[in-house]
Amino acid sequence: MTQSPPKTYHVKSFGCQMNVYDGERMGELLAARGMTAADESLDADLVVLNTCHIREKAVDRIYSEIGRMKREDGSRPMIAVAGCVAQAEGAEISRRAKTVDIVVGPQAYHRLPGLIDDAVAGRAAVDTDMPAASKFEILPGRARRTSASAFLTVQEGCDKFCTYCVVPYTRGAEVSRPWNAILDEARALVDAGAKEITLLGQNVNAWTGEDEAGRAQGLDGLVRALDKLPGLARIRYTTSHPNDMTQGLMDAHAEIPSLMPFLHLPVQSGSDRILKAMNRSHSRDSYLRIIERVRAARPDIALSGDFIVGFPGESDAEFKETLSIVAETRYAQCFSFKYSSRPGTPAADMDGQIAPELMDERLQRLQAAINREQLAFNQATIGKRTQILLERKGRQAGQLIGKSPWLQSVVIEAEDVGIGDLVEVDIVSAGPNSLTGAVVAHQRA
Ligand code: 5AD
Ligand code: SF4
């Protein structure tokens, strides 16, 4: 069956920040084709669901989202499933959900326009290739406007093969984007209004490349080059793997003020036996030693982590080691998840799968411990004078929310400042999830 060519689009991204970035790039690609953005999915002729495959719940959400793509008059938009579910399930998606018109993987989305043409003509439109030529070389330039805090993907894929994780299969092998392409995109983002850039990669600190002079560089070299970009006030990066945490990157934290004092360094578990079963290739102790060295370089650095509870075979004593590493590290914030068995990963076939009720109980205990640490970290900033980057409006009229250097959300009330401004504040109070600040002085963009 043929359809009329879509004129409007809506991209909805789920999951990680790299999906947010890919979603923006797909939007720019469709705009370059002459399509216009619609605010709501059901108002659009084409809906792109940019999906996440990391846990079973994330996948279930996508299928219920597809089910909701129906207008009151019975019609529906053209539906494209992009992202990691597309990569993992391929053509199976359109068999399970008949209303899906297009399936496109995370390394093939530059081909979305051709796939739309296929769908319009009633042809099968499935592309889960991982082509040798990078999509980044083909995508159009960045949009002329961006938010104050922008994402820039510099690295994709993962070679670590943690036994629970689908990423090495859905995103493919580790690939670094070239130096010049990154600097050009960073300049375009700053010209479009970005004050802060977060460099993204599944293993961002594994980034390697060569600079203009042909010298080998790591992520620290890239950060030093970005630091020289006029107008770029803040640099961040995420997500890092403990084994790729180089001395050079730690030195950059000590020496470069625009590199924000924040490090997301997942450990997943505090137990050596579980870390081994997860194939994490670091121990509890080697992780804690890295943290010590990072803190020696930048004493005020805020640390963040990811944790999985209920990995197959996890005993109560092993879980308690996870609780104790949270207390020992003194995290500023953490993400914690119940283990989710993923088809095709080695852990899915391991003995000792943990009962859901026990996972629930462990997650609650872990989250209580994390909340205590977050509150303590936030309370320690009360009385400090610091700078925040205003990013959005708050819930109440007159409120604005910005981010501190340590990535805390800070709520202020002020009339003569706006989104995109860097504002000097005194921190006056703190809860586990946000702070309030009083404006001292401000600089307009
Ligand atoms: N089950 C639960 N959590 C997972 N993560 C990755 N794979 C799984 C899984 N199968 C978590 C890890 C990772 C974060 C992005 O998601 O903590 O760091
Ligand atoms: Fe997944 Fe491990 Fe790679 Fe992170 S390092 S993306 S958890 S395989």
Side-chain angles (χ1 to χ4, degrees), residues 92-330:
E92 185 57 33
I93 299 173
S94 7
R95 277 191 283 276
R96 188 167 154 189
K98 297 264 180 291
T99 55
V100 170
D101 303 279
I102 297 170
V103 176
V104 61
Q107 306 306 348
Y109 66 73
H110 53 294
R111 298 181 184 157
L112 195 50
L115 292 164
I116 295 172
D117 293 341
D118 287 341
V120 166
R123 291 189 292 267
V126 179
D127 192 342
T128 52
D129 272 5
M130 295 206 177
S134 159
K135 65 190 173 226
F136 297 112
E137 289 162 25
I138 297 152
L139 287 166
R142 299 306 314 260
R144 276 192 286 274
R145 285 183 68 85
T146 183
S147 45
S149 179
F151 292 139
L152 201 178
T153 293
V154 302
Q155 183 277 339
E156 280 196 286
C158 182
D159 298 340
K160 307 287 191 285
F161 289 93
C162 298
T163 52
Y164 50 81
C165 186
V166 290
V167 168
Y169 313 98
T170 55
R171 289 269 173 177
E174 287 179 11
V175 176
S176 296
R177 286 183 70 192
W179 177 273
N180 279 339
I182 296 166
L183 289 179
D184 287 348
E185 191 170 328
R187 268 183 224 109
L189 287 169
V190 172
D191 289 346
K195 300 274 175 56
E196 171 177 282
I197 291 182
T198 302
L199 306 175
L200 298 180
Q202 260 95 31
N203 279 289
V204 71
N205 59 342
W207 183 90
T208 54
E210 283 182 359
D211 63 16
E212 295 94 343
R215 284 179 302 241
Q217 295 285 358
L219 188 67
D220 53 318
L222 197 55
V223 166
R224 286 176 195 275
L226 288 167
D227 175 61
K228 298 200 177 76
L229 263 191
L232 183 61
R234 293 176 157 199
I235 305 165
R236 301 182 184 275
Y237 60 94
T238 199
T239 290
S240 298
H241 192 282
N243 289 7
D244 294 317
M245 217 45 228
T246 62
Q247 188 58 45
L249 192 52
M250 296 184 199
D251 294 343
H253 272 291
E255 294 160 19
I256 300 188
S258 67
L259 181 58
M260 291 293 101
F262 187 92
L263 175 63
H264 181 58
L265 198 67
V267 65
Q268 313 296 356
S269 166
S271 149
D272 280 337
R273 195 191 72 83
I274 296 293
L275 287 172
K276 205 153 189 227
M278 287 177 163
N279 191 32
R280 284 293 296 177
S281 64
H282 60 78
S283 64
R284 175 190 177 104
D285 198 52
S286 68
Y287 178 85
L288 288 171
R289 279 205 312 272
I290 292 165
I291 299 288
E292 243 171 56
R293 285 168 55 211
V294 172
R295 282 201 165 118
R298 179 82 203 224
D300 72 335
I301 201 158
L303 291 160
S304 157
D306 285 348
F307 290 93
I308 296 175
V309 301
F311 184 82
E314 184 188 66
S315 69
D316 202 47
E318 286 161 347
F319 168 66
K320 284 198 179 113
E321 292 184 88
T322 295
L323 290 179
S324 71
I325 204 169
V326 168
E328 209 168 315
T329 307
R330 292 173 287 120

Side-chain angles (χ1 to χ4, degrees), residues 5 19 157 214 219 262 299 308-309 336 339 342 353 384 407 413 430 433:
N19 263 10
L219 188 67
F262 187 92
I308 296 175
V309 301
S336 50
Y339 167 74
R342 309 307 293 124
Q353 302 284 327
K384 272 193 189 165
L407 208 62
E413 280 181 25
N433 299 315

